[in-house]
Coordinates of all heavy atoms in Angstrom, one line a residue:
P723 N 7.3 7.9 2.4 CA 7.1 9.3 2.7 C 6.8 10.1 1.5 O 7.3 9.8 0.4 CB 8.3 9.7 3.4 CG 9.4 8.8 2.9 CD 8.7 7.5 2.7
A724 N 6.1 11.2 1.6 CA 5.9 12.2 0.6 C 5.3 11.7 -0.7 O 5.4 12.2 -1.8 CB 7.3 12.9 0.2
I725 N 4.5 10.6 -0.6 CA 3.8 10.0 -1.7 C 2.4 9.7 -1.3 O 2.2 9.0 -0.2 CB 4.5 8.8 -2.2 CG1 5.9 9.1 -2.8 CG2 3.6 8.0 -3.3 CD1 6.7 7.9 -3.2
W726 N 1.4 10.0 -2.0 CA 0.0 9.7 -1.7 C -0.3 8.2 -2.0 O 0.2 7.6 -3.0 CB -1.0 10.5 -2.6 CG -1.2 11.9 -2.1 CD1 -0.6 13.0 -2.7 CD2 -1.9 12.4 -1.0 NE1 -1.0 14.1 -2.0 CE2 -1.8 13.8 -0.9 CE3 -2.6 11.7 0.0 CZ2 -2.4 14.5 0.1 CZ3 -3.2 12.5 1.0 CH2 -3.1 13.9 1.0
S727 N -1.0 7.6 -1.1 CA -1.4 6.2 -1.2 C -2.9 6.0 -0.9 O -3.4 6.6 0.0 CB -0.6 5.3 -0.3 OG -0.9 3.9 -0.5
K728 N -3.6 5.3 -1.8 CA -5.0 5.1 -1.6 C -5.3 3.8 -0.9 O -4.8 2.7 -1.3 CB -5.7 5.1 -3.0 CG -7.2 4.8 -2.9 CD -7.8 4.8 -4.3 CE -9.3 4.7 -4.3 NZ -9.9 4.7 -5.6
L729 N -6.0 3.9 0.2 CA -6.3 2.7 1.0 C -7.8 2.5 1.0 O -8.6 3.4 1.1 CB -5.9 2.9 2.5 CG -4.4 3.1 2.8 CD1 -4.2 3.3 4.3 CD2 -3.7 1.8 2.3
Q730 N -8.2 1.2 0.9 CA -9.7 0.9 0.9 C -9.8 -0.3 1.8 O -9.2 -1.4 1.6 CB -10.1 0.5 -0.5 CG -10.2 1.7 -1.5 CD -10.6 1.3 -2.9 OE1 -9.7 0.7 -3.6 NE2 -11.8 1.6 -3.3
M731 N -10.7 -0.2 2.8 CA -10.9 -1.2 3.8 C -12.4 -1.7 3.7 O -13.3 -0.9 3.9 CB -10.6 -0.7 5.2 CG -11.1 -1.7 6.3 SD -10.9 -1.0 8.0 CE -9.1 -1.1 8.2
Y732 N -12.6 -2.9 3.4 CA -13.9 -3.5 3.4 C -14.1 -4.5 4.5 O -13.3 -5.4 4.8 CB -14.1 -4.3 2.0 CG -15.4 -5.0 1.9 CD1 -16.6 -4.3 1.8 CD2 -15.5 -6.4 2.0 CE1 -17.8 -5.0 1.7 CE2 -16.7 -7.1 1.9 CZ -17.9 -6.3 1.7 OH -19.1 -7.0 1.6
V733 N -15.2 -4.3 5.3 CA -15.6 -5.2 6.4 C -17.0 -5.7 6.2 O -17.9 -4.9 5.9 CB -15.5 -4.4 7.7 CG1 -16.1 -5.2 8.8 CG2 -14.0 -4.2 8.1
E734 N -17.1 -7.0 6.3 CA -18.5 -7.6 6.3 C -18.5 -8.4 7.6 O -17.7 -9.3 7.8 CB -18.6 -8.5 5.1 CG -20.0 -9.0 4.9 CD -20.2 -9.7 3.5 OE1 -19.6 -9.2 2.5 OE2 -21.0 -10.6 3.4
T735 N -19.5 -8.2 8.4 CA -19.5 -8.7 9.8 C -19.8 -10.2 9.9 O -19.5 -10.8 10.9 CB -20.5 -7.9 10.7 OG1 -21.8 -8.0 10.1 CG2 -20.1 -6.5 10.8
G736 N -20.4 -10.8 8.9 CA -20.7 -12.2 8.9 C -21.8 -12.6 9.9 O -22.6 -11.7 10.4
T737 N -21.8 -13.8 10.3 CA -22.8 -14.3 11.3 C -22.3 -14.2 12.7 O -21.1 -14.5 13.0 CB -23.0 -15.8 11.0 OG1 -23.3 -16.0 9.6 CG2 -24.2 -16.3 11.8
A738 N -23.1 -13.7 13.6 CA -22.8 -13.5 15.0 C -22.3 -14.8 15.6 O -23.0 -15.8 15.4 CB -23.9 -12.9 15.7
G739 N -21.2 -14.7 16.3 CA -20.6 -15.9 16.9 C -19.9 -16.9 16.0 O -19.4 -17.9 16.5
Q740 N -19.8 -16.6 14.8 CA -19.1 -17.5 13.9 C -17.9 -16.8 13.2 O -17.8 -15.6 13.1 CB -20.0 -18.0 12.8 CG -21.2 -18.9 13.3 CD -22.0 -19.5 12.2 OE1 -21.5 -19.7 11.0 NE2 -23.2 -19.9 12.5
N741 N -16.9 -17.6 12.8 CA -15.7 -17.1 12.2 C -15.8 -17.0 10.7 O -15.0 -17.6 10.0 CB -14.5 -18.0 12.6 CG -14.3 -18.1 14.1 OD1 -14.6 -17.1 14.8 ND2 -13.7 -19.2 14.5
N742 N -16.7 -16.2 10.3 CA -16.9 -16.0 8.8 C -17.0 -14.5 8.4 O -17.5 -14.2 7.3 CB -18.1 -16.8 8.3 CG -19.5 -16.3 8.9 OD1 -19.5 -15.4 9.8 ND2 -20.5 -16.9 8.6
G743 N -16.5 -13.6 9.3 CA -16.5 -12.2 8.9 C -15.3 -12.0 7.9 O -14.3 -12.7 7.9
I744 N -15.5 -10.9 7.1 CA -14.6 -10.6 6.0 C -13.8 -9.3 6.3 O -14.4 -8.4 6.8 CB -15.4 -10.6 4.7 CG1 -16.0 -11.9 4.4 CG2 -14.5 -10.1 3.5 CD1 -17.0 -11.9 3.2
L745 N -12.6 -9.4 5.9 CA -11.7 -8.2 5.9 C -11.0 -8.2 4.6 O -10.3 -9.2 4.3 CB -10.8 -8.1 7.0 CG -9.7 -7.0 6.9 CD1 -10.3 -5.6 7.0 CD2 -8.6 -7.3 8.0
K746 N -11.1 -7.1 3.8 CA -10.3 -7.0 2.6 C -9.7 -5.5 2.6 O -10.4 -4.6 2.8 CB -11.1 -7.2 1.3 CG -11.6 -8.7 1.2 CD -12.3 -8.9 -0.1 CE -12.9 -10.3 -0.3 NZ -11.8 -11.3 -0.4
I747 N -8.5 -5.4 2.2 CA -7.8 -4.1 2.1 C -7.1 -4.1 0.8 O -6.3 -5.0 0.4 CB -6.9 -3.9 3.3 CG1 -7.7 -3.8 4.6 CG2 -6.1 -2.6 3.1 CD1 -6.8 -3.7 5.9
W748 N -7.3 -2.9 0.1 CA -6.6 -2.7 -1.1 C -5.7 -1.5 -0.9 O -6.1 -0.5 -0.2 CB -7.6 -2.3 -2.2 CG -8.5 -3.4 -2.7 CD1 -8.3 -4.3 -3.8 CD2 -9.7 -3.8 -2.1 NE1 -9.3 -5.1 -3.9 CE2 -10.2 -4.9 -2.9 CE3 -10.5 -3.4 -1.0 CZ2 -11.4 -5.5 -2.6 CZ3 -11.7 -4.0 -0.7 CH2 -12.1 -5.1 -1.5
Q749 N -4.5 -1.5 -1.5 CA -3.6 -0.4 -1.5 C -3.3 0.0 -2.9 O -2.8 -0.8 -3.7 CB -2.3 -0.6 -0.7 CG -1.4 0.6 -0.7 CD -0.1 0.4 0.1 OE1 0.4 -0.8 0.2 NE2 0.5 1.4 0.6
D750 N -3.7 1.2 -3.3 CA -3.5 1.7 -4.7 C -4.1 0.7 -5.7 O -3.5 0.4 -6.8 CB -2.0 1.9 -5.0 CG -1.5 3.0 -4.0 OD1 -2.2 4.0 -3.7 OD2 -0.3 2.9 -3.6
G751 N -5.2 0.1 -5.4 CA -6.0 -0.7 -6.3 C -5.6 -2.2 -6.3 O -6.2 -3.0 -6.9
S752 N -4.6 -2.6 -5.5 CA -4.1 -4.0 -5.4 C -4.6 -4.6 -4.1 O -4.4 -3.9 -3.0 CB -2.6 -4.1 -5.5 OG -2.1 -3.7 -6.7
L753 N -5.3 -5.7 -4.1 CA -5.7 -6.4 -2.9 C -4.5 -7.0 -2.2 O -3.8 -7.8 -2.7 CB -6.7 -7.5 -3.3 CG -7.3 -8.3 -2.2 CD1 -8.2 -7.4 -1.3 CD2 -8.1 -9.5 -2.7
V754 N -4.3 -6.5 -1.0 CA -3.1 -6.8 -0.2 C -3.4 -7.7 1.0 O -2.6 -8.4 1.5 CB -2.3 -5.6 0.2 CG1 -1.6 -5.0 -1.0 CG2 -3.1 -4.6 0.9
I755 N -4.6 -7.5 1.5 CA -5.1 -8.3 2.7 C -6.5 -8.9 2.4 O -7.3 -8.1 2.0 CB -5.1 -7.5 4.0 CG1 -3.7 -7.0 4.3 CG2 -5.7 -8.3 5.2 CD1 -3.7 -6.1 5.6
S756 N -6.6 -10.2 2.6 CA -8.0 -10.8 2.4 C -8.2 -11.9 3.4 O -7.4 -12.9 3.5 CB -8.1 -11.4 1.0 OG -9.3 -12.0 0.8
R757 N -9.1 -11.7 4.3 CA -9.5 -12.7 5.4 C -11.0 -12.9 5.4 O -11.8 -12.0 5.2 CB -9.0 -12.1 6.8 CG -7.6 -11.9 7.0 CD -6.8 -13.2 7.0 NE -7.1 -14.0 8.2 CZ -6.4 -14.0 9.3 NH1 -5.4 -13.2 9.5 NH2 -6.8 -14.8 10.3
T758 N -11.3 -14.2 5.5 CA -12.8 -14.5 5.5 C -13.1 -15.4 6.8 O -14.0 -16.1 6.8 CB -13.1 -15.3 4.3 OG1 -12.3 -16.5 4.2 CG2 -13.0 -14.5 3.0
D759 N -12.2 -15.3 7.8 CA -12.3 -16.2 8.9 C -12.3 -15.4 10.3 O -11.9 -15.9 11.3 CB -11.1 -17.1 9.0 CG -9.8 -16.4 9.0 OD1 -9.7 -15.2 8.8 OD2 -8.7 -17.0 9.4
L760 N -12.8 -14.2 10.3 CA -12.8 -13.4 11.5 C -14.2 -13.4 12.1 O -15.2 -13.4 11.5 CB -12.4 -11.9 11.1 CG -11.1 -11.7 10.4 CD1 -10.8 -10.3 10.1 CD2 -9.9 -12.3 11.2
Q761 N -14.2 -13.2 13.5 CA -15.4 -13.0 14.2 C -15.4 -11.6 14.8 O -14.5 -11.2 15.5 CB -15.5 -14.0 15.4 CG -16.8 -13.9 16.1 CD -16.9 -14.7 17.4 OE1 -17.6 -14.4 18.4 NE2 -16.3 -15.9 17.3
Y762 N -16.4 -10.8 14.4 CA -16.5 -9.4 14.8 C -17.4 -9.3 16.0 O -17.2 -8.3 16.8 CB -17.1 -8.6 13.7 CG -16.1 -8.4 12.5 CD1 -16.2 -9.1 11.4 CD2 -15.1 -7.4 12.7 CE1 -15.3 -8.9 10.3 CE2 -14.2 -7.2 11.6 CZ -14.3 -7.9 10.5 OH -13.4 -7.7 9.4

Side-chain angles (χ1 to χ4, degrees):
I725 295 176
W726 284 105
S727 184
K728 180 179 182 180
L729 297 178
Q730 293 175 287
M731 172 187 284
Y732 175 71
V733 167
E734 189 171 328
T735 57
T737 307
Q740 297 187 21
N741 300 332
N742 61 0
I744 296 172
L745 168 67
K746 293 183 183 294
I747 295 177
W748 294 263
Q749 183 178 26
D750 299 322
S752 296
L753 182 63
V754 290
I755 297 175
S756 181
R757 298 289 295 263
T758 59
D759 59 344
L760 303 179
Q761 183 185 147
Y762 288 101

